[in-house]
Amino acid sequence: MSAFLTYLLNGLAVGSAIALIASGLVVIHRVTGVVNFAQGTFAVVAGLCTSSLLGLGVPHGVSEVAAVLAAALAGLLTGLAAVGRPGTSPLSSLIVTLGVGVLAYAVEIVLWGDQPRSAPGLAGSVTLAGARIQTQHLLVIGVAAAAFALLALFFGRTYLGKALTACASNPYAARVVGIDVRRMGLLAFALGGLLGGIAGVLVTPLRPISFDTDVTLIVNGFAAAVFGALTRPVVTLAGALLLGVAETMAAGYGYGAHQLEVALGLMLVVMIVQAGRRPAISQESA
């Protein structure tokens, strides 16, 4: 039982990191209609920046904040390339984000090389109900919970958050009332970069980060975001936690070589079941 609880808590931490990646995808898609396949790149940029800054002697806290801001800047630049030009279709913007991800490989290799890097995090572990969990894992869970709470407050209580929501709901009406839809799109990409950067800073002490780590991150993040239909943050969070727990359980019980396949297979089954229930739910509502 203690091993099960350990895997469960560690899985919640992994899922929390995935949720931060997925939430960036959801924010950008809700505002612009664009699926940003460069989302994993933001986490990699933040992780590599954190490793470099700490290696240069920059203290903890300052290094992480600077790395997250660098990721937000990367998000803004990606937004300028993807949606900065008026009239760009979502499909064209999606292709641009793929190109940005490939370009980022070259830049990251030039700046940091092709060897994995890591960074020190919170040391030690705690025991909860007989299960041992690293302190860094608890930090990931806590930061993710705080981030989702702040996002809910931002979109529900602030004028800027409501303006972003208006752009997602009806861009034409938003323009009529004076909201700059293009500027809101760029802000959404910067916010996506910020969320991806937070994930990268939190994950780097737990696993080495290299230029191609974004592939695993975006696959997991996209699966969780699709679970939430790319529009529902709470459902996306649930999907990310399910994915993280499934991966950790698979690794813990002897299927480590196939943990991603097992987790994504489980997600696929759940989404198929969801899709099958929607027509029935719609008929009942009618």
Side-chain angles (χ1 to χ4, degrees), residues 51-58:
S51 176
S52 294
L53 291 172
L54 290 173
L56 292 172
V58 180

Side-chain angles (χ1 to χ4, degrees), residues 58 74 121-122 172 175 199 208 223 240 259:
V58 180
L122 292 181
Y172 176 76
R175 291 189 186 94
Q259 63 182 44

